[in-house]
Amino acid sequence: MKRLIVVDNPAEWPLSRGEDGEVISVASYLDPAEPWPGRGVRVFNLARSYGYQTRGYYVSLLAEARGHRVIPDVRTIQDLNAPGFVRFIPTDVEELVQKSLARIKSDDFVLSIYFGENLAAQHQALARALFRLFPAPFLRAKFGRGQKWNLRGVRALSLDEIPPQHLEFMHQAAQRYFSRKRYPPERSDRSRYDLAILVNPEERDAPSDRQALQRFVQAARRQGFGVEFIGRDDYPRLAEFDALFIRETTSVNHHTWRFSRRAQAEGLAVIDDPDSILRCANKVYLAEVLKGARIPIPRTEIIQRGQRRPALERLGLPCVLKVPDSAFSHGVAKAHTEAEYLELTDRMLEASDLVIGQEFVPTGFDWRVGVLEGEPLFVCKYFMARGHWQIYNWASRHRSDFSGQYETLAVADAPPLIVQTAVRAARLMGQGLYGVDLKEVDGKPLVIEINDNPSVDAGVEDKVLGQALYDAVIAALRRRVDARREGERK
């Protein structure tokens, strides 16, 4: 991928130009007579100002119009220019602010960030986190302390605003940034696509194991995708790709949500899309939408602090209590007595103003129906963990007791009413990839939840379809990329 470093005065750029990329002036890039290629160009906009309708603003705007991948993009510029936008930083970054600045004695602090780095090692993690949120080459963040540290503003810096004593470090940070093998060489086959698969190698029981991930890679390569595994630090790079496939457990107040949201804003084909994450992640939403669509679910109550006892009377005991954004059985508990119910809801209502309560429906297994773009893809039976009432027993110290057995069926061999109900439920969420969990009581289905990020492990969900399962998911991404490109040509 060709790299252009766009500056007001190329003579001001001090690094080795041959290694960094081609250094050109802002005026040159804005010149309509210049024959810039449409694809395969990465632009680093180091203009003096990104203010609205300044030349720096137009560099990023024209880069997007030309099909170039640019940093910062116009959305980042708008975020940096928007008053009060920094109030909405994610919880994990907020926690990092408190940790990083804990030893600062004054009530004000300024953090300079050069290509995601800061001079002080103790602030490196915070610098990287802010760079992921606001991918711009040079940033200055201002913090103030009240009852706790608050981020009061972030703005982009120009080259001539960098203090002389920071220049050497900035040069080193820039060299480290450009020397990373981030940008693959420009392909001679321009019709190929770039797919990013977001993973977390440290995650226990991730949505796909290594073998399944490699089968997704094989499917992608056969369908014309170049594939790269990315992690949370690769947020600034999303614009380099045509599609994003998230294979890390998703949550709304989490970097997976930010990846999905930004990918969609950049026009990438994305599974899981942000609407699906938002809808599936919150069990309050699921309960309401399933009830409204007359899809059968266990007796369910949305519990508020002042209405706990009436809800219990309607639910009965034992009952299941769920934090709204619980996943993979985390944040889910069973109350056997009224005292246990009150204790559990007390604890859960400290984190959320609403809690979900459901009648306890004992079964030996749960159905899982995988649904892709509104059509059934696979069907599994997940049996309860040994000696436990759930599929996963997170308290288990032994791997053999952690999860139950499974049985995979062909879609045609599964009970039709189970499959039909799952498909109806999934279509309420969107056109992505979903795993619908159901219980079967006296031959009738009850939808328990809908997962936007269902497990696909080698030898489990793919036991019937084999490689065809992976091909189907990648084909869905390719259709979306093709549709976008077709729309661009019109």
Side-chain angles (χ1 to χ4, degrees):
M1 181 173 284
K2 182 174 183 175
R3 285 182 285 183
L4 296 178
I5 299 172
V6 183
V7 297
D8 288 274
N9 181 1
E12 295 177 352
W13 185 249
L15 302 183
S16 171
R17 300 178 187 182
E19 294 179 4
D20 304 333
E22 183 180 352
V23 182
I24 64 170
S25 69
V26 169
S28 177
Y29 189 78
L30 295 178
D31 186 351
E34 289 284 351
W36 300 115
R39 287 179 58 82
V41 177
R42 183 71 165 145
V43 175
F44 294 89
N45 179 3
L46 306 185
R48 186 166 287 113
S49 171
Y50 300 125
Y52 182 61
Q53 293 190 338
T54 62
R55 296 199 311 165
Y57 177 87
Y58 280 116
V59 166
S60 289
L61 190 66
L62 286 181
E64 295 188 20
R66 292 167 178 169
H68 297 172
R69 310 289 175 84
V70 60
I71 175 174
D73 61 21
V74 174
R75 294 171 189 84
T76 299
I77 290 173
Q78 293 289 71
D79 289 347
L80 289 168
N81 290 338
F85 183 83
V86 295
R87 292 199 302 267
F88 305 105
I89 63 171
T91 301
D92 58 337
V93 179
E94 172 69 25
E95 292 172 353
L96 198 53
V97 169
Q98 308 310 316
K99 180 179 178 181
S100 183
L101 306 188
R103 296 182 181 179
I104 303 297
K105 301 300 183 184
S106 67
D107 291 333
D108 297 286
F109 183 72
V110 175
L111 186 73
S112 298
I113 303 166
Y114 307 116
F115 289 97
E117 296 189 33
N118 179 258
L119 285 83
Q122 71 194 68
H123 301 312
Q124 284 286 55
L126 178 57
R128 286 194 298 269
L130 291 174
F131 181 63
R132 287 194 297 267
L133 287 177
F134 307 101
F138 311 134
L139 293 168
R140 179 168 291 162
K142 291 187 177 182
F143 301 88
R145 178 160 49 190
Q147 293 183 339
K148 63 177 183 176
W149 283 103
N150 295 296
L151 178 61
R152 291 181 175 170
V154 180
R155 71 179 185 89
L157 295 180
S158 63
L159 269 174
D160 54 10
E161 287 184 289
I162 298 174
Q165 64 270 28
H166 289 191
L167 285 175
E168 182 178 355
F169 177 83
M170 183 277 288
H171 299 165
Q172 295 169 354
Q175 285 177 321
R176 284 189 289 269
Y177 187 86
F178 288 121
S179 66
R180 293 171 194 157
K181 295 181 179 179
R182 300 168 170 274
Y183 316 107
E186 192 173 355
R187 297 190 179 100
S188 58
D189 180 4
R190 295 297 188 87
S191 67
R192 285 176 61 87
Y193 314 97
D194 292 300
L195 171 65
I197 302 180
L198 179 63
V199 296
N200 177 5
E202 305 301 319
E203 183 179 7
R204 180 187 180 187
D205 295 288
S208 287
D209 59 15
R210 290 185 180 182
Q211 191 174 354
L213 290 174
Q214 288 306 316
R215 291 179 181 177
F216 278 121
V217 170
Q218 293 165 11
R221 287 175 176 164
R222 282 197 299 271
Q223 297 187 49
F225 283 96
V227 184
E228 184 176 346
F229 290 108
I230 64 171
R232 62 177 296 169
D233 288 341
D234 293 305
Y235 181 80
R237 300 182 50 210
L238 274 178
E240 297 175 26
F241 301 95
D242 298 294
L244 172 67
F245 184 32
I246 299 177
R247 286 283 85 193
E248 179 178 356
T249 302
T250 54
S251 180
V252 171
N253 195 17
H254 191 248
H255 67 269
T256 49
W257 157 262
R258 298 193 294 275
F259 269 74
S260 180
R261 186 169 176 263
R262 187 175 185 88
Q264 187 181 70
E266 294 283 357
L268 278 66
V270 56
I271 295 177
D272 310 312
D273 64 89
D275 288 341
S276 293
I277 296 174
L278 183 66
R279 293 165 181 166
C280 293
N282 194 289
K283 291 175 173 53
V284 171
Y285 176 90
L286 283 178
E288 196 71 11
V289 77
L290 291 171
K291 179 181 177 182
R294 298 183 181 277
I295 290 176
I297 61 175
R299 188 163 60 251
T300 300
E301 292 287 330
I302 298 175
I303 303 169
Q304 302 181 55
R305 187 170 292 279
Q307 300 175 359
R308 291 187 296 167
R309 292 184 186 279
L312 178 59
E313 291 176 6
R314 292 188 291 269
L315 285 172
L317 288 168
C319 66
V320 177
L321 301 169
K322 302 179 180 181
V323 176
D325 59 355
S326 56
F328 288 103
S329 301
H330 284 299
V332 179
K334 184 167 69 169
H336 299 83
T337 66
E338 181 176 351
E340 192 174 13
Y341 167 85
L342 293 173
E343 179 186 350
L344 287 169
T345 52
D346 256 341
R347 188 191 318 152
M348 290 180 173
L349 287 166
E350 289 178 1
S352 171
D353 286 342
L354 301 176
V355 169
I356 287 292
Q358 285 188 328
E359 65 173 316
F360 177 57
V361 181
T363 57
F365 65 87
D366 286 353
W367 288 101
R368 162 68 63 86
V369 180
V371 181
L372 176 65
E373 295 188 324
E375 298 297 330
L377 182 64
F378 63 83
V379 179
C380 287
K381 288 181 177 179
Y382 295 152
F383 293 87
M384 302 303 160
R386 186 165 58 184
H388 193 58
W389 60 280
Q390 294 171 288
I391 293 167
Y392 296 105
N393 182 1
W394 293 97
S396 173
R397 296 182 179 181
H398 303 288
R399 184 71 187 180
S400 60
D401 295 336
F402 171 66
S403 61
Q405 299 298 310
Y406 67 88
E407 179 184 343
T408 308
L409 292 76
V411 171
D413 294 336
L417 192 55
I418 292 290
V419 176
Q420 292 165 10
T421 302
V423 168
R424 283 180 58 211
R427 286 175 179 173
L428 296 171
M429 300 299 106
Q431 289 293 304
L433 173 64
Y434 310 99
V436 184
D437 293 343
L438 310 94
K439 290 184 179 294
E440 186 178 6
V441 180
D442 297 330
K444 296 179 181 180
L446 293 174
V447 173
I448 303 301
E449 62 184 28
I450 307 170
N451 304 280
D452 64 283
N453 196 250
S455 298
V456 177
D457 283 326
V460 183
E461 288 78 13
D462 68 356
K463 197 170 184 64
V464 171
L465 289 180
Q467 187 62 41
L469 186 154
Y470 304 94
D471 293 339
V473 175
I474 298 300
L477 284 167
R478 175 161 179 169
R479 284 193 294 273
R480 298 176 191 195
V481 175
D482 286 339
R484 178 197 174 192
R485 290 191 176 182
E486 183 63 30
E488 290 175 347
R489 285 193 289 266
K490 290 182 180 179

